[in-house]
Amino acid sequence: MTAAYPYTIWEPGATIGVLGGGQLGRMFAMAARRMGYRIRVVDPDPHPPAAAVADEHLCGSVADPDVRRRLIASVDLVTYEFEHLPTEAVQELSQHRPVYPGPEVLRIAQHRILEKQFLAAAGIPTARFWPIRSEQDIQAALSQIGTPAVLKAARHGYDGKGQVRVDQPDQAVEAFQQLRTSEAVWEAWVDFHTEFSVIVARNLRGQMVTFPAVRNWHRRHILDVSVAPAGLPEEATRQAEAIAQSIAQHFRLVGLICVEYFYTEDHQVLVNEIAPRPHNSGHLTIEAAVTSQFEQHLRAICNLPLGTTQLRCPAAMANLLGELWIPQAPRFSLVCGIPGVYLHLYGKRGATVGRKMGHLTAIGTSPAQALRRVRRARHLLQKSACDTTPY
Ligand SMILES: Nc1ncnc2c1ncn2[C@@H]1O[C@H](COP(=O)(O)OP(=O)(O)O)[C@@H](O)[C@H]1O
Ligand SMILES: [Mg+2]
């Protein structure tokens, strides 16, 4: 077993295993390779986005003991880029190589009932909720919480998948059946004023830093646009930062954690969910922060001093989803002429509706200008995807 002590440092040249080869793994690998680390990505997909920038791709699942053996033999430490991993396999892996963030925060964050119960036990405000494991629980949820509500599968939900809005009590049982799951959370619908998120990084020696809050807009439950600075009242920001830091402390987190919040009309700060990894709302830190979230995650897990989280300038990010490729791929060259706009494409094969294919970041002199730029840039792409005249 490999024990890590607060003074253990993984210097550049070390090899990091990354569980999951999506865009988060890819952007993490880019930051890590720039700083001289080696990356082994584990993903069952034969062509995951991160494989193109990794030193090696182990094609398979961490649930496979043979894949774990190969990983243990070839890496110094392990991280992950998504939380829907088999916990027992990750636990077993952590007996041989440090896994950051640790298996405990992963176990909680990947299960919405455990996550909500953890938050409630810590006295952290959330939307009112009720655990659902049977149709009897639905009746209890209807009388305790009522409608409108959102029913969320306990496991494997992301980008709005595994969620159904319930407006009327008579839709409840069908909504549960529709989720095809044995465990779910019934959550009161929150008429929020704003959604925002805060990312905290903590390293093995306990150093902790917090990124400025980012304001987020979702469409069909998928992140659409983010902007920083978020322009929130100071008190809301202070509360959210304190909550995120207390969660990181509670788990003795090593790595990043993103906390998503609702800010309600009556000035309450409610936690929506937590994710112990780099986050879509942190992509704008690549261009706008002194240290990007990906470099920060690397610094945190390798126990390097953490970087400055300060923003160099206001910035906005817009996701590019698969529908933008319909009926044809956009002409990306169009956005390259707009000052302050940066294009990120993840190299995914096969654009489908709702699939995150890339994003745009725009920097500006104000958040409003950055938002205008990024929306204009994406609009140009949308128009070009529909324009079938030859050029
Ligand atoms: N209780 C709720 N009330 C209002 N909107 C919600 C609620 N739960 C989720 N949403 C909307 O759906 C989005 C995605 O839900 P979330 O629970 O964060 O799941 P995911 O894991 O897919 O990000 C949220 O960011 C928010 O816009
Ligand atoms: Mg979310």
Side-chain angles (χ1 to χ4, degrees):
M1 157 150 188
T2 316
Y5 302 99
Y7 46 81
T8 306
I9 294 174
W10 287 272
E11 293 279 350
T15 304
I16 304 170
V18 183
L19 308 180
Q23 64 271 17
L24 298 173
R26 177 180 169 105
M27 289 182 271
F28 171 73
M30 285 173 167
R33 291 205 64 184
R34 174 172 62 78
M35 287 175 65
Y37 289 85
R38 293 173 221 275
I39 297 292
R40 298 236 177 320
V41 165
V42 180
D43 196 302
D45 179 337
H47 303 288
V53 290
D55 295 86
E56 199 194 340
H57 168 211
L58 298 181
C59 191
S61 162
V62 69
D64 177 349
D66 189 49
V67 169
R68 288 205 297 281
R69 263 193 298 278
R70 288 168 60 198
L71 194 60
I72 292 162
S74 62
V75 304
D76 297 295
L77 71 161
V78 176
T79 187
Y80 46 86
E81 59 114 48
F82 79 137
E83 57 270 32
H84 303 300
L85 294 165
T87 346
E88 306 73 39
V90 175
Q91 187 77 49
E92 201 275 330
L93 191 59
S94 73
Q95 305 294 310
H96 304 275
R97 288 288 177 271
V99 177
Y100 298 132
E104 179 55 13
V105 65
L106 178 69
R107 188 178 73 85
I108 302 294
Q110 69 176 208
H111 194 285
R112 289 194 198 272
I113 297 179
L114 299 181
E115 181 183 53
K116 285 282 194 302
Q117 288 173 338
F118 154 72
L119 293 167
I124 296 171
T126 64
R128 290 182 305 126
F129 70 94
W130 197 263
I132 305 289
R133 295 191 173 89
S134 67
E135 288 191 12
Q136 282 89 314
D137 290 336
I138 295 178
Q139 297 315 318
L142 279 169
S143 65
Q144 296 294 324
I145 315 287
T147 54
V150 52
L151 190 57
K152 300 181 181 178
R155 289 183 186 276
H156 303 297
Y158 69 98
D159 290 345
K161 292 188 176 66
Q163 295 192 16
V164 193
R165 189 180 144 120
V166 187
D167 288 305
Q168 302 295 334
D170 62 3
Q171 300 167 339
V173 171
E174 197 188 321
F176 186 50
Q177 288 163 352
Q178 204 179 320
L179 287 181
R180 296 173 178 279
T181 180
S182 55
E183 293 183 300
V185 171
W186 184 279
E187 227 180 90
W189 188 260
V190 180
D191 272 322
F192 52 80
H193 176 274
T194 307
E195 283 195 270
F196 69 102
S197 49
V198 170
I199 296 174
V200 167
R202 187 180 175 279
N203 64 15
L204 197 59
R205 66 186 95 161
Q207 188 191 2
M208 194 157 72
V209 293
T210 307
F211 281 94
V214 174
R215 181 170 181 181
N216 303 314
W217 288 267
H218 292 76
R219 277 180 74 185
R220 288 180 279 113
H221 299 252
I222 305 177
L223 183 62
D224 184 42
V225 170
S226 294
V227 71
L232 291 159
E234 223 170 274
E235 178 54 22
T237 311
R238 198 197 55 73
Q239 275 181 35
E241 286 176 357
I243 289 172
Q245 289 159 2
S246 73
I247 295 172
Q249 284 290 13
H250 171 91
F251 289 108
R252 295 182 181 283
L253 184 91
V254 175
L256 294 191
I257 194 156
C258 179
V259 183
E260 296 177 17
Y261 300 91
F262 298 129
Y263 183 56
T264 66
E265 296 288 353
D266 55 349
H267 312 295
Q268 280 179 280
V269 172
L270 306 178
V271 171
N272 172 29
E273 61 171 352
I274 61 175
R277 53 166 171 77
H279 191 265
N280 198 167
S281 64
H283 290 357
L284 52 75
T285 60
I286 295 177
E287 287 86 7
V290 174
T291 312
S292 80
Q293 64 164 346
F294 298 103
E295 179 177 331
Q296 198 73 281
H297 185 65
L298 174 82
R299 287 173 179 243
I301 65 171
C302 293
N303 209 12
L304 306 179
L306 298 179
T308 307
T309 54
Q310 206 185 332
L311 293 180
R312 299 176 202 267
C313 55
M317 187 274 332
N319 271 333
L320 304 178
L321 303 184
E323 45 269 44
L324 193 60
W325 273 246
I326 299 168
Q328 61 182 6
R331 281 166 59 192
F332 292 106
S333 55
L334 289 172
V335 297
C336 299
I338 308 174
V341 170
Y342 298 84
L343 173 66
H344 296 253
L345 292 173
Y346 308 146
K348 291 186 183 177
R349 299 173 177 206
T352 50
V353 172
R355 187 170 195 212
K356 289 175 178 167
M357 303 296 289
H359 72 267
L360 297 169
T361 301
I363 56 168
T365 50
S366 67
Q369 188 197 40
L371 273 171
R372 271 197 306 276
R373 278 181 170 172
V374 89
R375 289 201 162 110
R376 191 176 142 236
R378 190 170 60 179
H379 185 66
L380 281 178
L381 294 182
Q382 276 158 349
K383 273 201 336 203
S384 74
C386 298
D387 181 1
T388 48
T389 48
Y391 60 94

